[in-house]
Amino acid sequence: MAPLQGLSSCNRYQNSINISEFRVEKLSMKSYYIRCEGRDYVSLDGDGNGKKEKKRFRVLIAGGGIGGLVLALAAKHRGFEVKVFEKDLSAVRGEGRHRGPIQLLSSALAVLEAIDENVAKQIMEAGCVTGDRINGLADGLSGEWLSKFDLLTPAIRRGLPVTQVICRMSLQDILVNAVGLEILSNKSKVVDFMEDSNKVTVTLEDGRQYDGDVLIGADGIWSEVRSKLFGRQEAKYSNYTCYSGLTNFVPPYINTVGYRVFLGLNQYFVASDVGNGKMQWYAFNREPPMNNTDSPKGKKQRLLELFRSWCDEVITLILKTPDHMILQRDIYDRDMIYSWGTGRVTLVGDAAHPMQPNLGQGGCMAIEDCYQLILELDKIANSGSSILLSDQIVSALRRYEKKRMFRVGTVHTASRMASEVLAAYQPYMEFGFGPLPGLSTLRITHPGIQVARMFLQVFLQQFMTWMISGHGLW
């Protein structure tokens, strides 16, 4: 709209003026709205000569992670003018080493197909399908299955792709290439924004400024955009630290098990096939943040001590992993908030709703966010209305938030509940005191475990089916 701002001071014009395919109608002495009767608009150069330019909806995105790139790709295909600002693309890609592969449920893969079939095909070719095998929960000490869930049948029934995992860095490379470096601006951290009735302006760390119709904060759990919207708040420590490891090892159960979560008291261990003869695992231990209690012999030795009584499947994966391939990070999330933006600004993914990784759904929720958001923006761009008012844009952003709130809130709550359940997991009865101390060496199954197993078998399958279906998106 900026090229037409000079028109607002031309008081000699009457209530309406026609310029080529445009109609500018006067609302007050200094306020106009633009009635667009075509896709082109007329701007005035310094000599007052009319010059046709393409008028496109402008989307500014803070953050070049998975969510920011998926949103940029979707906006690009809608014909929007898009700009992505990332403070350090190499750091985002490097984060993949710490966070490991990303799980893409059928719902997230279907979203990617709806956005760009070719990109979705590249992603599925680069990934490793896990949803066609047994997946579920197992006891960490015995290795026995507690609950199995079927990811294949619900996907087939709905005609959706089957759940898979993919290296985060591979996924990011595919998305970067599809979005294009002309859209992605590296070394560009968004530190502030200002909004008026016609636009939102972002300010980068180096002082550069860019105007857009909307600003989307996709800058993760430590989001600068979120801080500017709602004030800076401390993230919440989950009480768990996470060790992650990647090993060149093909276990004997590779053809039957996709991924498995081994449970223990204040500990859990996730193991997944990631393809190409590699296994990825995550070891979670309940302890204070920044504990730094690794053995002088390294992280591997500490893990062998922490999980020394666990089943062979767990111990073998730790033993097969070189110490330099084991990384550690503390796990944080934030309380769920029920407003993700104001005015022309909103949030997606971890910037809006960071959650613990125990369900492996953070990336999927970000991808779904992007799809719902682009649908709402597309409605106003293709509404058939020749007037694009600020309140239409604002309403579209609030509709997106409202439509995503229940599903995201449910997953966020479930991820926190899972951590609390793990803290109380005790599969065997203890006889450390009293007249039967000799029984302390026996493993007698706690009676509550059978009840929990039946509950998980029913509830977990229903929950995963609901997750796969992409509730509210189709």
Side-chain angles (χ1 to χ4, degrees):
M1 304 281 183
L4 288 168
Q5 286 177 348
L7 293 176
S8 63
S9 62
C10 300
N11 294 332
R12 64 180 180 274
Y13 287 99
Q14 302 302 314
N15 285 340
S16 68
I17 56 176
N18 287 313
I19 308 176
S20 184
E21 295 180 27
F22 258 81
R23 182 184 300 275
V24 180
E25 299 194 15
K26 187 173 180 182
L27 298 178
S28 65
M29 288 294 290
K30 294 186 179 181
S31 177
Y32 294 84
Y33 64 78
I34 310 303
R35 182 178 296 277
C36 305
E37 298 180 349
R39 285 189 174 270
D40 295 335
Y41 74 91
V42 176
S43 66
L44 300 181
D45 60 24
D47 299 324
N49 297 318
K51 184 169 57 178
K52 270 195 175 184
E53 295 179 5
K54 198 74 171 178
K55 201 292 185 182
R56 295 189 293 167
F57 191 80
R58 301 166 300 174
V59 179
L60 306 179
I61 302 172
I66 303 303
L69 291 173
V70 169
L71 180 60
L73 183 62
K76 176 183 176 180
H77 283 313
R78 293 311 197 276
F80 299 161
E81 183 180 326
V82 194
K83 195 68 179 175
V84 180
F85 306 101
E86 170 54 47
K87 63 180 180 180
D88 187 352
L89 194 59
S90 64
V92 174
R93 289 177 173 172
E95 186 184 38
R97 293 184 63 235
H98 290 268
R99 300 182 66 183
I102 180 173
Q103 178 179 245
L104 297 175
L105 273 188
S106 300
S107 56
L109 289 169
V111 164
L112 292 170
E113 281 188 325
I115 292 172
D116 189 316
E117 286 190 22
N118 182 55
V119 168
K121 182 180 179 182
Q122 292 179 54
I123 290 170
M124 285 187 272
E125 288 175 349
C128 172
V129 175
T130 55
D132 59 351
R133 287 170 274 174
I134 300 172
N135 299 279
L137 310 178
D139 177 70
L141 297 179
S142 67
E144 295 178 0
W145 286 99
L146 294 172
S147 176
K148 301 174 184 178
F149 43 84
D150 179 9
L151 300 178
L152 182 61
T153 304
I156 292 175
R157 285 177 178 171
R158 292 164 175 79
L160 301 175
V162 181
T163 295
Q164 68 171 57
V165 295
I166 183 173
C167 169
R168 288 176 187 268
M169 290 177 283
S170 297
L171 175 58
Q172 182 133 355
D173 284 339
I174 292 170
L175 292 172
V176 166
N177 290 333
V179 169
L181 294 178
E182 72 281 2
I183 289 176
L184 178 60
S185 180
N186 196 18
K187 305 297 182 183
S188 302
K189 180 182 179 181
V190 173
V191 295
D192 202 359
F193 62 86
M194 294 179 60
E195 184 182 351
D196 60 35
S197 60
N198 296 317
K199 65 183 183 302
V200 59
T201 302
V202 299
T203 301
L204 306 185
E205 196 169 36
D206 60 7
R208 287 177 293 161
Q209 293 188 321
Y210 292 83
D211 294 339
D213 294 302
V214 293
L215 167 63
I216 313 301
D219 45 348
I221 185 173
W222 313 110
S223 170
E224 197 70 33
V225 176
R226 176 175 172 141
S227 295
K228 294 296 180 182
L229 282 169
F230 306 115
R232 198 168 297 278
Q233 301 168 334
E234 293 295 324
K236 286 199 169 184
Y237 180 55
S238 67
N239 294 317
Y240 283 90
T241 195
C242 174
Y243 291 86
S244 61
L246 182 67
T247 179
N248 293 303
F249 174 63
V250 179
Y253 50 80
I254 195 70
N255 293 323
T256 57
V257 179
Y259 72 85
R260 187 164 24 176
V261 182
F262 297 90
L263 306 183
L265 181 61
N266 294 323
Q267 294 172 305
Y268 60 105
F269 190 98
V270 183
S272 176
D273 176 23
V274 292
N276 300 315
K278 298 179 185 293
M279 289 288 292
Q280 175 78 42
W281 54 263
Y282 309 89
F284 294 82
N285 190 60
R286 191 178 180 92
E287 61 183 64
M290 296 181 290
N291 202 25
N292 296 323
T293 55
D294 290 343
S295 166
K297 296 181 180 180
K299 295 180 174 64
K300 181 174 180 175
Q301 185 59 41
R302 182 175 190 234
L303 287 168
L304 290 172
E305 293 169 359
L306 287 172
F307 294 89
R308 61 184 177 275
S309 59
W310 282 47
C311 61
D312 290 342
E313 291 89 341
V314 170
I315 299 299
T316 299
L317 286 173
I318 297 173
L319 286 171
K320 292 288 184 180
T321 308
D323 196 86
H324 72 273
M325 293 298 293
I326 300 175
L327 303 170
Q328 181 190 8
R329 68 184 180 103
D330 293 334
I331 303 300
Y332 290 83
D333 68 1
R334 293 184 185 275
D335 291 337
M336 187 69 186
I337 56 175
Y338 296 93
S339 174
W340 298 343
T342 59
R344 293 171 176 259
V345 185
T346 193
L347 307 171
V348 298
D350 282 352
H353 45 75
M355 55 186 70
Q356 296 178 37
N358 44 42
L359 298 180
Q361 293 306 305
C364 294
M365 291 298 100
I367 292 170
E368 289 184 10
D369 285 351
C370 296
Y371 187 62
Q372 187 67 65
L373 176 55
I374 210 66
L375 289 179
E376 298 305 325
L377 293 178
D378 209 30
K379 286 176 184 177
I380 61 173
N382 296 295
S383 63
S385 171
S386 57
I387 305 172
L388 193 61
L389 293 175
S390 179
D391 60 356
Q392 289 178 298
I393 297 172
V394 172
S395 295
L397 299 184
R398 302 295 85 79
R399 284 197 307 271
Y400 144 72
E401 295 169 10
K402 183 178 180 181
K403 289 180 179 181
R404 290 295 295 154
M405 203 63 68
F406 175 76
R407 182 168 169 85
V408 169
T410 300
V411 177
H412 185 278
T413 299
S415 70
R416 279 197 170 177
M417 286 178 60
S419 288
E420 294 304 317
V421 169
L422 288 171
Y425 179 78
Q426 190 168 332
Y428 303 106
M429 299 180 68
E430 295 183 355
F431 298 92
F433 302 96
L436 300 173
L439 293 178
S440 61
T441 59
L442 299 178
R443 287 184 176 178
I444 301 176
T445 302
H446 196 287
I449 289 296
Q450 298 303 326
V451 177
R453 180 180 283 123
M454 289 187 290
F455 173 78
L456 286 172
Q457 197 62 49
V458 175
F459 171 77
L460 197 56
Q461 181 62 60
Q462 291 181 343
F463 180 77
M464 294 308 298
T465 299
W466 176 76
M467 290 297 305
I468 286 171
S469 68
H471 180 76
L473 288 174
W474 314 110

